[in-house]
Each structure stands twice: as C-alpha cells, then as structure tokens.
Amino acid sequence: MKAINLKAFGSAEVLQLGEAPNPEVRPTDLLVRVYAAGVNRADLTHRTGGYGHANFGDSLIIGLEIAGEVLETGSEVSGFAVGDRVMGVVGGGAYAELARIDYRMAMPIPAQLDYVHAAAIPEVFVTAHEAMLHLARLKSGDSVLIHAAAGGVGSAAVQLAYATGATVYATTEGSKLSRVEHLGADMAIDYKNEDFAAVIADKTNGRGVDVIIDFIGAPYFARNIASLAHGGRLVQVGILGGGGKVDVELEHILYRHLQIIGTVMKSRTQPEKHAMIQRFRDHWLKRFAGAASLEPVVDSTFPLSRAADAHRRMESSQNVGKIILTMQPEDLR
C-alpha cells in the first residue's frame, strides 16, 4: 500500500510517499480503506522526534485520525461490518491507504458527512469533550475561557461549550476573531493585543470563569489562575507555549477551592481511551446532523503525497480548524 514513510526525524521534508506492508488485522481490529486523515500537533511532535522513537505505539506509520470504509473485521469485532463508513482514532498508521483501528475506537460516520469532514471530528472533539465536559464538568450556565480557540481542539471546544449553554470566552489572534465568534464564542479576545486576564476580570466583574481550557502552558499559567472563579477548574491540554516550572500560591488553590487537571490522550490506557470515545459518542454523535448541528471545521485539504505541505500549514499556525490529508487514487501518486 501507499503510505508516508518516516525514515528519519526532521523537518517536513522527511515525509515521503512510498510503499509499506498492509497492516495485520488482529481480533479486535477493523481494516479500513482510508479516504481522509486528520493532521494533529502530535504528528509534528512525532515527526521531529519528540517522542524519542519512530513507532507511535501501534504502527511505524505516522498519523492518529482516520475516516474511511471497513474492508475487513477481526474475529472479536461487534457493531461494525464490511462496507460501513467509520471514523476514529488510531495508535499510528493514519497516513496510509489502509489502516487498522480497534473497533472500540471507531464511530460510524453520520450519513450527511463526507470523509473529509468526518476525519475532522474524532481527535479534536473527543479531546474537547473529555477536557471540558467530563473532567471540568462544564454545565449550562457556567462560563469558560478557551485558549487557542481557532485550532482544531479549540474550535471544537467552542462549539461544545456553546451547545452546552455556557458563556464562552475565547482567545485567538486578531484575524480569526470573527470566525471564532461564528463558532459560538460570546467574546473573542485578541491575545496579541489584549491581556486576557484583564478582559475576563472586566467582563465578569472580577468573578472570573468557572472553567479554563488551556493549550499554551507556562506563559499563561499565572493569568489562568487569576482568571478562575471560586471553585474554578483549569484543564491543561497542551503546552504549545512551553512547559517547565510554574509558580503558584498554594493559598489560592486552597482557599479558592481551585482544581488543576492535566489530560493527554496518548498516555491513557486502552480501556480509558475506549471510554473516552464512548462518552463522546453517546453525548454528541447525533448532534452532527440537522439545522443546528455541530460543525467539523476544515481549514484545508492536501493530497497524501503533499503531507509535508500539510505539516508546514500547521506549523504556520494560520489554520482555523483541521488540516486534512486525502487518499483518493489521484492523491497517492
């Protein structure tokens, strides 16, 4: 099969289209003809050697998110059949014509969605639901601050927060403010020209917000803590702006009853990942239909042969929503 072979770590140029053996189907696997694959920040970390090894966990081929058609089912699979359209999260192997996926990590594609838009759902919407609804327990009437709101997970989180009935504050750069507000933010904050903590203090009359979803890390930490209401929850989903040590006054945590929660899908056990998929599927999958449906946000598409360009697009941070690789026959040349 055609696939992106990662023979060395490095810049985007290391992503070269070549031949790879077909994946072996295990008892709990679906074999999927991949028509679209989502590009994720984790793919950039993988490509540059940030995980320290070429094998992401389940495949030597890069990529974590697929949409396609079931070609074969393992002996222990239930709920799926050959010919089904599925989307889901894989443990590597998405940048290829064929991929295997544990059936408990797969979801049926809503009838009205094409493969490109389906591939924009699993990783980002599952992550957003887990962080904001499951861990932070966001509910109708709460307020939430979502950072990096024009990115894949951020744009999903804005939509889920809006659909939940929360008041949504969101940070992004100035050129993306209107797009983020279109997704459901009550107020979009230009993080380059405004201090989000000052804006939150002003708009909430000093109360702060109930939940913060952060992808940036250390540069935002102190202001995040200052922006939380009594009993507020900060969920750290990423560290795009840097990790390392942060300072916090423990008295603030104690007397304001704050919670700081970290979450990364990659380091979860398989049963935990299965539960994450099921929670999202039960709560939201039916909402990707109808006039008031959730919207998989697609920034751009690239043929698999141009995976390097897709990575450059993500590295530019100019995208709003997901970057998708496509695997039609003409895209595999």
Side-chain angles (χ1 to χ4, degrees):
M1 67 175 181
K2 295 288 187 181
I4 295 296
N5 292 313
L6 188 63
K7 296 182 178 179
F9 298 132
S11 61
E13 287 73 20
V14 302
L15 300 177
Q16 298 294 322
L17 187 66
E19 295 290 335
N22 292 355
E24 177 184 349
V25 180
R26 300 161 301 193
T28 59
D29 284 337
L30 307 173
L31 179 65
V32 176
R33 166 70 167 90
V34 181
Y35 289 106
V39 178
N40 292 282
R41 286 279 173 185
D43 301 347
L44 274 60
T45 302
H46 185 183
R47 191 203 76 215
T48 55
Y51 297 122
H53 50 81
N55 189 327
F56 196 88
D58 199 37
S59 175
L60 289 170
I61 297 168
I62 192 171
L64 299 173
E65 187 174 30
I66 64 169
E69 179 184 353
V70 176
L71 299 181
E72 184 180 340
T73 63
S75 59
E76 297 178 14
V77 168
S78 63
F80 294 96
V82 171
D84 286 351
R85 298 194 322 141
V86 297
M87 59 186 182
V89 178
V90 296
Y95 290 20
E97 281 186 276
L98 301 173
R100 65 185 182 188
I101 180 171
D102 185 315
Y103 78 96
R104 294 158 293 191
M105 297 296 290
M107 296 174 281
I109 296 175
Q112 74 282 2
L113 291 182
D114 59 25
Y115 287 116
V116 166
H117 286 83
I121 292 175
E123 182 79 19
V124 295
F125 277 94
V126 170
T127 299
H129 172 82
E130 189 70 11
M132 194 167 57
L133 278 300
H134 182 66
L135 295 176
R137 308 179 305 283
L138 186 76
K139 63 184 184 301
S140 179
D142 282 351
S143 55
V144 59
L145 171 62
I146 299 166
H147 291 301
V153 181
S155 62
V158 169
Q159 292 187 71
L160 297 187
Y162 174 78
T164 298
T167 299
V168 184
Y169 301 95
T171 63
T172 188
E173 66 177 53
S175 64
K176 301 174 182 178
L177 294 174
S178 61
R179 184 70 176 113
V180 168
E181 289 175 346
H182 171 76
L183 292 173
D186 293 277
M187 182 175 187
I189 303 166
D190 181 355
Y191 73 90
K192 290 184 177 180
N193 295 303
E194 298 178 275
D195 179 351
F196 70 81
V199 173
I200 294 298
D202 177 62
K203 296 300 180 182
T204 64
N205 295 316
R207 176 186 180 274
V209 294
D210 299 295
V211 172
I212 296 177
I213 305 299
D214 183 46
F215 309 88
I216 306 303
Y220 280 13
F221 187 80
R223 285 182 289 164
N224 281 339
I225 295 296
S227 299
L228 284 172
H230 184 91
R233 289 83 70 194
L234 167 63
V235 183
Q236 199 69 49
V237 184
I239 48 173
L240 294 175
K245 295 181 180 180
V246 294
D247 292 322
V248 60
E249 296 286 343
L250 287 179
E251 287 83 357
H252 288 309
I253 307 298
L254 291 173
Y255 299 127
R256 292 169 57 202
H257 296 270
L258 305 182
Q259 297 179 49
I260 302 170
I261 306 165
T263 181
V264 177
M265 187 186 293
K266 179 181 180 293
S267 58
R268 298 286 190 98
T269 65
Q270 279 304 115
E272 288 173 329
K273 292 177 183 178
H274 299 163
M276 289 172 66
I277 295 291
Q278 193 63 47
R279 282 191 288 266
F280 169 77
R281 179 175 175 172
D282 290 345
H283 198 106
W284 295 111
L285 192 59
K286 62 182 180 295
R287 295 287 294 271
F288 288 89
S293 63
L294 296 170
E295 175 189 358
V297 182
V298 175
D299 172 80
S300 50
T301 64
F302 294 84
L304 184 62
S305 59
R306 292 180 55 204
D309 289 334
H311 277 222
R312 293 186 190 101
R313 174 69 178 170
M314 179 163 280
E315 287 169 333
S316 77
S317 295
Q318 294 303 303
N319 60 297
V320 176
K322 292 287 292 188
I323 300 164
I324 304 295
L325 297 173
T326 58
M327 286 78 160
Q328 299 296 338
E330 62 270 21
D331 299 333
L332 298 171
R333 297 169 185 162

